[in-house]
């Protein structure tokens, strides 16, 4: 093979949403792109909770979502606080999130099908997709990244884009990040439970095509973390995210805590008679804005998606897929604009990240990190809320105590003080 | 120059096949793949073509769903591929399959060796190689676990029930190989990229001039349950329990 055949305009490592969105945009602009994925098919082993915000697909190409491999349109935003065997569920129903005349705001998704579909779109647009290939190393020449090594083979490009996910090997190879710090990530476990479409709609009170996205607090035995539940067409994605350090010290394993959640009286009926068809685990960046790596490029090299640290976790929603897609688009635009002088790709990329509002979004949500740091948020608060509810609704013929008394009593019973709650409230208000 | 043919089949990935509670088989979620044993066939063909100084050509008979097989097969080192794209493949029995493959192989000039797997990973009917041999009037060697080519002579080690047999055959010939013939390597990046540039000849059923009507039809596919005997040996002391266990195993013909 000649040298020319060994060279592409861009090589993208990883066919997750970031890599495929980048490949799609570059290929559509006529660039000669190679997208390399280690899985036998894109998405084969990729894990997510399960929802995607549609604006990112609209940014990739208006109307694209209509043919995308998506599940249900999310119209029910839910928060669930578990305290012992009790549960409070807040259900915000906004049918407008699924109005007919515009793109629905978000969809539940299953990654195996979605990722394969998006990579196929990139291939259709002209990108070359090579699956079943793991990139082992980068090739550096005179301080620039000029290519990749996979097994015995070397392949060259003007730019290599690291879209290889959290704890990016490519970014480590490029010397831009170190091995990930345990305190900045969560370990997510997830099960996909199959149920008939009709059953899911009935159990969650959904009309055809409607979906629910639920975040759960109080299901992690006090460990920093939380649960999630998404209704797909014919399955439910149920999972938990935990801080690994705290799990390691905990007396119960992740699997045991997760099993307890599945048996919880408020969860068990939702998944009853379902069949588990998939179990998976994955890391997720938890540090938000401060988790973004200080340098996202060097000459001949850009980082996108999870590899760059683009995940927002507010406690009531996780966003990573949309940011992965937006950053993939930003990188592609930066490269296209740097056609004359490829050295400008990096600085262009930082500008695009701002222009496409990715950086401002990350910055705006920075405060959540501190709120979510509060240790007693994960057991005492949901328990307190349930205690207050219990007192509120209890009628047993005795003289009822006042609401204020009830609340104060419950705060004390949970080992908290008004002062702590006020501080959290102030922190919360500030972070918004 | 002599060409080597690798016959391969696109099958449902057994990892994705689900058996429902009523024992019906759910193939709806199953992805396709090249039958595992055919990966060894392809590698054997690549090696044989090198020995004969010819090209390795993949031939597959499948429905429109088999199209993705081509890139995979070619990335495994084949020089070219011939794809018989026919809906008949979904109903084909061993005879129809062999007639389709033989008709396509006849269109390829200067064939020195045809390699098949002993059986496909889905049906494992062990008919393809012998039937192709009969249709093309070529000698057939089955159950081959090792082969060497020296000029015009192929020496094959046949793995039989309790012994090995060495067979010499003059080419052209048909061989059915066992998976242990080679460790079918996973294709590398350049091989995957090169696959996209290789020649694929696509044939339709009508191009073959062969009768693809199956004589045997599949009337039902069902899962099965292994009935366990659930015998617990807990009578008497330990020695007696072991004795009873051994006796039961002997009765089953296991010991
Ligand atoms: C439990 C959990 C729940 C989540 N829930 C949500 C949610 O509901 N909504 C949301 O928006 N986000 C969610 N996220 C975050 C979201 O999944 C990620 O932010 C998103 O997947 C990032 O996309 P990416 O393309 O950057 O990386 P990935 O999706 O991780 O893709 C990286 C790809 O690179 C490939 N790869 C890696 N290394 C190599 C190599 N050396 N050579 C070749 N290929 C390689 C991988 O196989 C993979 O296909 C969740 C994450 C977790 C773990």
């Amino acid at each position: 093979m000649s040298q020319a055949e060994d060279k592409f305009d861009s090589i993208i490592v990883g066919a997750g949403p970031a890599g495929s969105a980048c490949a799609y945009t570059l290929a559509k602009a006529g660039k000669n792109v190679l997208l390399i994925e280690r899985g036998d098919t894109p998405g084969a082993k990729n894990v997510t909770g399960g929802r995607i915000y549609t604006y990112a697909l609209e940014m990739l190409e208006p109307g694209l979502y209509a043919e995308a491999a998506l599940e249900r349109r999310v119209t029910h935003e839910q928060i669930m606080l578990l305290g012992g065997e009790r549960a409070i569920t807040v259900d915000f129903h906004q049918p407008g999130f699924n109005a007919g005349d515009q793109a629905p705001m978000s969809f539940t998704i299953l990654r195996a099908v979605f990722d394969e579909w998006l990579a196929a779109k990139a291939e259709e647009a002209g990108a070359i997709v090579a699956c079943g290939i793991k990139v082992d190393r980068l090739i550096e020449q005179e301080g620039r990244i000029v290519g990749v090594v996979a097994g015995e083979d070397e392949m060259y490009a003007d730019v290599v884009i690291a879209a290889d996910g959290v704890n990016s090997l490519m970014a480590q190879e490029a010397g831009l990040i170190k091995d990930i710090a345990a305190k900045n990530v969560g370990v997510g476990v997830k099960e996909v439970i199959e149920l008939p479409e009709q059953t899911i709609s009935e159990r969650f009170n959904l009309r055809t095509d409607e979906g629910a996205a639920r975040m759960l607090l109080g299901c992690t035995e006090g460990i920093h973390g939380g649960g999630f539940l998404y209704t797909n067409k014919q399955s439910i994605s149920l999972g938990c995210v935990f801080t690994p350090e705290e799990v390691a010290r905990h007396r119960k394993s992740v699997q045991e805590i997760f099993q307890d959640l599945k048996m919880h009286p408020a969860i068990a009926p939702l998944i009853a008679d379902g069949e588990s068809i998939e179990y998976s685990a994955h890391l997720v960046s938890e540090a938000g804005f401060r988790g973004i790596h200080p340098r996202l490029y060097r000459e001949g090299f850009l980082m996108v998606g999870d590899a760059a640290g683009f995940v927002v976790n507010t406690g009531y929603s996780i966003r990573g897929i949309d940011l992965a897609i937006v950053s993939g688009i930003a990188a592609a635009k930066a490269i296209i604009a740097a056609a004359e002088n490829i050295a400008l790709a990096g600085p262009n990329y930082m500008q695009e990240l701002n222009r496409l509002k990715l950086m401002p979004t990350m910055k705006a949500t920075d405060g959540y990190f501190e709120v979510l740091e509060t240790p007693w948020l994960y057991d005492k608060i949901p328990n307190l809320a349930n205690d207050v509810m219990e007192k509120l609704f209890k009628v047993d013929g005795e003289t009822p105590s006042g609401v204020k008394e009830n609340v104060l009593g419950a705060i004390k019973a949970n080992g908290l003080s008004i002062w702590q709650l006020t501080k959290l409230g102030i922190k919360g208000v500030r972070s918004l | 120059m002599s060409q080597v043919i690798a016959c391969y089949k696109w099958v449902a990935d057994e990892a994705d096949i689900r058996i429902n509670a009523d024992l019906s088989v759910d193939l709806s979620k199953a992805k396709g793949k090249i039958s595992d044993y055919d990966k060894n066939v392809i590698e054997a063909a690549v090696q044989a073509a090198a020995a004969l100084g010819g090209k390795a050509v993949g031939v597959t008979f499948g429905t429109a769903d088999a199209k993705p097989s081509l890139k995979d097969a070619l990335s495994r080192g084949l020089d070219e591929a011939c794809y018989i794209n026919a809906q008949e493949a979904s109903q084909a029995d061993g005879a129809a399959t062999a007639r389709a493959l033989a008709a396509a192989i006849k269109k390829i000039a200067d064939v020195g060796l045809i390699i098949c797997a002993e059986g496909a990973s889905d049906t494992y009917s062990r008919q393809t190689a012998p039937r192709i041999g009969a249709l093309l009037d070529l000698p057939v060697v089955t159950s081959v676990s090792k082969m060497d080519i020296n000029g015009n002579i192929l020496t094959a080690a046949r793995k039989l029930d309790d012994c090995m047999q060495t067979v010499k055959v003059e080419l052209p010939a048909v061989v059915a190989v066992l998976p242990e013939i080679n460790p079918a390597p996973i294709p590398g990046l350049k091989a995957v990229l090169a696959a996209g540039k290789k020649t694929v000849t696509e044939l339709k059923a009508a191009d073959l001039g062969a009768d693809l009507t199956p004589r045997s039809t599949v009337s039902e596919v069902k899962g099965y349950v292994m009935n366990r005997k659930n015998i617990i040996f807990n009578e008497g002391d330990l020695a007696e329990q072991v004795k009873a266990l051994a006796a039961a195993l002997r009765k089953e013909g296991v010991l």
Side-chain angles (χ1 to χ4, degrees):
Chain A
M1 225 184 236
S2 73
Q3 175 74 23
E5 280 187 1
D6 292 354
K7 178 140 191 255
F8 286 83
D9 293 333
S10 305
I11 293 176
I12 300 164
V13 183
S20 290
C22 188
Y24 179 77
T25 311
L26 284 169
K28 267 202 4 184
K31 296 283 179 189
N32 186 8
V33 187
L34 171 60
L35 177 60
I36 307 178
E37 167 58 43
R38 72 176 165 197
D40 285 336
T41 52
K45 292 192 197 118
N46 292 352
V47 183
T48 203
R51 96 146 80 183
I52 180 170
Y53 288 95
T54 322
Y55 80 93
L57 284 174
E58 285 288 275
M59 194 186 283
L60 195 56
E61 195 185 305
L64 197 60
Y65 76 89
E67 59 164 280
L70 301 168
E71 296 290 318
R72 293 179 189 240
R73 304 155 180 236
V74 179
T75 46
H76 287 254
E77 300 283 352
Q78 304 178 336
I79 296 172
M80 195 175 206
L81 303 177
L82 302 180
E85 55 177 26
R86 305 161 304 174
I88 302 168
T89 310
V90 180
D91 177 15
F92 174 59
H93 183 211
Q94 164 54 303
F97 284 171
N98 179 20
D101 53 344
Q102 67 204 34
M105 191 177 73
S106 71
F107 285 88
T108 53
I109 74 169
L110 290 167
R111 288 289 294 278
V113 272
F114 178 80
D115 287 13
E116 197 169 355
W117 168 80
L118 193 56
K121 289 307 287 181
E123 197 164 21
E124 244 171 64
I128 294 183
V129 183
C131 289
I133 306 284
K134 178 175 173 281
V135 174
D136 301 309
R137 282 194 298 115
L138 292 171
I139 308 173
E140 188 173 334
Q141 272 170 18
E142 290 159 13
R144 293 191 52 215
I145 304 299
V146 295
V148 299
V149 182
E152 319 244 292
D153 295 331
E154 292 184 353
M155 202 54 67
Y156 293 85
D158 291 335
V159 193
V160 175
I161 297 126
D164 53 339
V166 64
N167 209 12
S168 162
L169 173 69
M170 293 302 112
Q172 288 175 38
E173 273 276 311
L176 296 183
I177 65 166
K178 296 207 172 59
D179 203 2
I180 207 153
K183 68 175 184 16
N184 286 337
V185 286
V187 193
V189 295
K190 175 185 150 186
E191 241 176 79
V192 179
I193 300 156
E194 197 173 64
L195 282 164
E197 192 159 347
Q198 189 61 29
T199 307
I200 296 174
S201 298
E202 281 163 14
R203 287 183 187 176
F204 288 85
N205 200 14
L206 305 169
R207 279 179 286 185
T208 323
D209 228 20
E210 284 190 341
R214 182 180 297 191
M215 301 304 271
L216 291 79
L217 199 60
C219 60
T220 53
E221 298 218 337
I223 296 172
H224 184 154
F228 56 83
L229 185 156
Y230 297 94
T231 56
N232 307 311
K233 282 201 181 101
Q234 294 173 24
S235 63
I236 289 172
S237 297
L238 178 67
C240 277
V241 178
F242 303 88
T243 299
E245 279 180 325
E246 289 175 41
V247 169
R249 288 196 300 266
H250 200 75
R251 63 194 166 82
K252 273 193 188 170
S253 70
V254 165
Q255 284 80 357
E256 283 171 311
I257 302 174
F258 185 55
Q259 282 310 314
D260 288 348
L261 172 62
K262 286 172 65 184
M263 307 282 282
H264 191 280
I267 295 292
L270 298 175
I271 56 171
D273 303 322
E275 192 190 342
S276 275
I277 51 169
E278 189 186 305
Y279 182 86
S280 55
H282 202 268
L283 293 179
V284 55
S285 168
E286 293 272 84
F289 184 65
R290 36 198 107 173
I292 302 177
H293 304 306
R295 286 179 57 210
L296 297 180
Y297 67 89
R298 52 180 282 195
E299 221 183 312
F301 185 80
L302 301 177
M303 291 145 71
V304 295
D306 271 7
F310 296 142
V311 180
V312 168
N313 179 4
T314 58
Y316 53 84
S317 76
I318 303 183
R319 291 174 57 184
I321 304 170
D322 56 325
L323 303 179
I325 291 174
V326 172
S327 64
I329 298 170
K333 290 192 167 179
I335 292 166
I336 294 163
E340 301 291 311
N341 177 7
I342 197 69
L344 292 178
N348 284 355
Y349 178 45
M350 299 314 290
Q351 280 173 12
E352 284 294 338
L353 288 174
N354 276 316
R355 212 176 57 80
L356 300 179
K357 303 199 193 91
L358 191 152
M359 281 300 188
T361 297
M362 297 285 304
K363 205 164 187 175
T365 47
D366 184 34
Y368 285 97
F369 184 73
E370 266 162 45
V371 176
L372 297 175
E373 285 276 77
T374 314
W376 34 268
L377 193 60
Y378 302 96
D379 51 355
K380 291 181 180 167
I381 292 284
N383 201 57
L384 167 65
N386 278 283
D387 284 353
V388 171
M389 285 292 167
E390 187 162 348
K391 292 219 168 84
L392 197 68
F393 288 111
K394 193 163 185 178
V395 174
D396 57 1
E398 297 293 327
T399 318
S401 44
V403 173
K404 184 176 153 199
E405 231 174 288
N406 279 343
V407 174
L408 291 178
I411 292 174
K412 208 166 157 210
N414 280 285
L416 294 170
S417 67
I418 295 276
W419 171 234
Q420 277 174 304
L421 290 173
T422 315
K423 265 205 319 203
L424 179 68
I426 293 170
K427 230 192 215 173
V429 169
R430 272 213 202 113
S431 77
L432 301 169
Chain B
M1 215 170 70
S2 224
Q3 314 222 52
V4 180
I5 305 295
C7 297
Y8 76 84
K9 182 176 182 184
W10 187 245
V11 300
D13 189 337
E14 59 274 6
D16 305 329
I17 297 175
R18 287 178 46 202
I19 312 280
N20 297 324
D22 63 355
L23 296 187
S24 62
V25 178
D26 178 7
L27 288 169
S28 65
K29 301 224 167 54
K31 288 194 176 166
K33 65 167 185 181
I34 293 179
S35 166
D36 289 334
Y37 313 133
D38 290 343
K39 293 174 181 167
N40 306 99
V41 167
I42 292 171
E43 175 64 12
V46 170
Q47 289 180 13
L52 287 170
K55 281 186 181 167
V57 183
V59 179
T60 190
F61 172 48
T63 64
D65 294 342
K67 197 167 189 99
S69 75
L70 294 162
K71 202 173 155 191
D72 188 2
L74 289 168
S75 73
R76 294 174 185 274
L78 296 172
D79 298 292
E80 288 174 24
C82 170
Y83 169 32
I84 311 160
N85 179 353
Q87 196 42 46
E88 286 86 342
S90 65
Q91 305 293 327
D93 59 2
T97 302
R99 279 197 292 273
L101 292 169
I105 293 168
K106 265 197 216 157
K107 292 180 183 288
I108 299 169
D110 196 18
V111 172
L113 178 62
I114 298 161
I115 308 180
C116 302
E118 190 62 28
S121 63
D122 55 353
T123 48
Y124 212 79
S125 46
R126 311 180 79 168
Q127 297 186 24
T128 313
R131 283 182 180 276
I132 289 177
L135 288 164
L136 300 179
D137 196 19
L138 293 175
V140 178
V141 186
T142 57
S143 299
V144 173
S145 64
K146 190 171 173 291
M147 66 183 190
D148 285 307
I149 298 172
N150 215 327
N152 202 22
I153 303 293
L154 182 143
T155 309
R158 300 188 64 222
K159 193 170 170 191
L160 304 179
D161 261 358
D162 49 6
C163 66
M164 297 294 295
Q165 186 185 49
T166 306
V167 175
K168 276 195 168 107
V169 61
E170 195 176 324
L171 300 179
V174 183
V175 299
V177 299
L178 295 168
E180 61 247 51
I181 189 124
N182 58 45
I186 295 164
L189 177 57
K190 284 195 176 163
V192 170
L193 293 182
K197 303 193 179 104
K198 291 179 179 171
T199 315
V200 174
T201 313
E202 189 170 324
L203 300 175
K204 296 275 168 215
D207 302 331
L208 298 174
D211 177 12
L212 300 182
T213 335
R215 305 278 147 78
S216 66
T217 50
V218 176
S219 40
E220 192 180 32
V221 179
K222 255 188 145 171
Y224 65 86
V225 191
M226 283 263 248
N227 284 321
R228 301 191 181 278
K229 299 231 152 125
N230 292 324
I231 308 171
I232 299 172
F233 299 96
N234 53 3
E235 306 267 309
D237 64 14
L238 193 62
E240 279 166 311
Q241 289 171 17
V242 172
K243 227 185 243 161
L245 170 65
L249 289 174
R250 218 171 281 125
K251 201 172 139 208
E252 293 292 327
V254 192
L255 286 185

